[in-house]
Each structure stands twice: as C-alpha cells, then as structure tokens.
Amino acid sequence: MTPAPVSELLLEYQGYVLAYRLRAAVGGRVAPPGEQLPLSGYAARRLERQELARTLIRAGLAPGRMADLDRLSDELMFGFWLNPSEVAAFLRAAIRQGSHPALGDPDAFAALLTPGEQGRLGRAGVRLVCAHHLTCLTLAAPMLDPDALAGVWKRVEATTPPLFIDPLFTEDGLGGV
C-alpha cells in the first residue's frame, strides 16, 4: 500500500481541527474531550490508530483493542466530514441540545476560522471552505429526514438492475435465465 501524500495527511489534520472547533462551538454532549491536538500529537495518535487497524486486518485484535481503535477514531474524529452515519449522529446530538448557527449559516461557520486563516484564504477561499464543510453536513440528510430517505430508496428501487453478470450465465451458473 502506498503511503498517502503529505498534502492528504495535512488535509486530514485540517479536517480534524475544523471538526474539533465545530464540536467545541456546539458544546454539550458533542464537545470533544480534552484539548485540541497539535499536529505532532495528532500524527502520533494517527499512527497508533493505523497500527491497530493493521493488526486487526492481519491477525484480529485481542479483546479490548477494538475499543482502543474506536476511542482513537473518536478522538481523531476520523472520517467526521465524509461519513454520513458519523455526520448524522453528530447532527442528531447537536439538534437535541439546541443546534448552533454554524451548522447551516456560512457566516457562522466562517467564524470558526481564525483571522489569520481567513486572511490566508481570502473571501472566495472562506466561501469555498464554508460551502465544502456545510455540504459535508448534508450527507446525513437522508438519515435524518424520513422523507428524504424515502426519496433515496425510491430512486434506488427504480434503478434495480436485472441479472447480468457473466458468472450467472455460464455453464456453472444459471445458464441462460
């Protein structure tokens, strides 16, 4: 397996920082435990998580080690922005405690960025960052809105393909069904 380019790893850390800030702003049950990790601390925990995942794949984990993997994933907010179930769980908890403007308002989300970050990005860059992360939050929509979920299922069911893969139509398979 080829290692991820440094830029991908830095983008991952950046996603962690923004998720940390958002969760801290929302507070309550979704507030992250502990202080925000510096890049070096994040990298060390990320390597630990990666090694646990490798061990799980190679040999299985000893009892309790899966809990360590889950704890590290939670601490690192690993996959927070791009995992629909993670986003849905976060939004459910945030909504239960009264929500936060940064969950839908680009200006409120932009307030999570430091003045230096906003200056580095410029106005168009800040808009892009806000649009990207607020769009990531919509990944949970089908899981939170029963009507949206029903709509997704209708589209899935309307596009159910017929049987077509080669192994089903060879002599060992169904042979011409």
Side-chain angles (χ1 to χ4, degrees), residues 49 73-74 77-92 135-141 143:
R49 183 193 176 280
S73 295
D74 289 345
M77 293 170 239
F78 193 74
F80 177 85
W81 292 108
L82 300 177
N83 181 334
S85 63
E86 182 80 18
V87 171
F90 164 74
L91 289 175
R92 276 190 209 100
T135 299
C136 288
L137 293 178
T138 68
L139 288 171
M143 300 179 96

Side-chain angles (χ1 to χ4, degrees), residues 120-134:
R120 197 171 306 111
L121 286 166
R123 188 181 312 226
V126 169
R127 281 196 306 267
L128 176 66
V129 165
C130 293
H132 172 78
H133 289 89
L134 292 175

Side-chain angles (χ1 to χ4, degrees), residues 10-11 13-14 17-18 21 110 112-129:
L10 294 175
L11 284 169
Y13 177 70
Q14 180 172 283
V17 170
L18 290 175
R21 290 177 186 171
L112 298 175
L113 306 177
T114 67
E117 291 164 348
Q118 290 186 26
R120 197 171 306 111
L121 286 166
R123 188 181 312 226
V126 169
R127 281 196 306 267
L128 176 66
V129 165

Side-chain angles (χ1 to χ4, degrees), residues 12-177:
E12 181 184 305
Y13 177 70
Q14 180 172 283
Y16 157 78
V17 170
L18 290 175
Y20 186 97
R21 290 177 186 171
L22 178 61
R23 289 177 58 181
V26 172
R29 290 185 42 208
V30 299
E35 296 295 314
Q36 180 181 307
L37 295 169
L39 179 57
S40 61
Y42 181 88
R45 296 265 196 344
R46 177 69 166 85
L47 288 171
E48 182 182 351
R49 183 193 176 280
Q50 191 173 1
E51 184 55 37
L52 279 171
R54 269 195 218 107
T55 302
L56 173 65
I57 291 168
R58 276 184 293 189
L61 287 176
R65 296 301 282 169
M66 189 63 177
D68 292 340
L69 185 62
D70 289 340
R71 179 190 49 76
L72 282 167
S73 295
D74 289 345
E75 180 183 8
L76 299 174
M77 293 170 239
F78 193 74
F80 177 85
W81 292 108
L82 300 177
N83 181 334
S85 63
E86 182 80 18
V87 171
F90 164 74
L91 289 175
R92 276 190 209 100
I95 290 167
R96 274 194 300 272
Q97 62 191 42
S99 195
H100 188 278
L103 297 177
D105 176 11
D107 291 331
F109 193 91
L112 298 175
L113 306 177
T114 67
E117 291 164 348
Q118 290 186 26
R120 197 171 306 111
L121 286 166
R123 188 181 312 226
V126 169
R127 281 196 306 267
L128 176 66
V129 165
C130 293
H132 172 78
H133 289 89
L134 292 175
T135 299
C136 288
L137 293 178
T138 68
L139 288 171
M143 300 179 96
L144 294 174
D145 178 355
D147 293 330
L149 184 58
V152 170
W153 276 114
K154 283 180 186 174
R155 289 195 313 269
V156 168
E157 290 169 349
T159 58
T160 301
L163 296 173
F164 69 95
I165 60 172
D166 287 342
L168 295 178
F169 291 90
T170 63
E171 291 195 27
D172 296 327
L174 300 173
V177 169

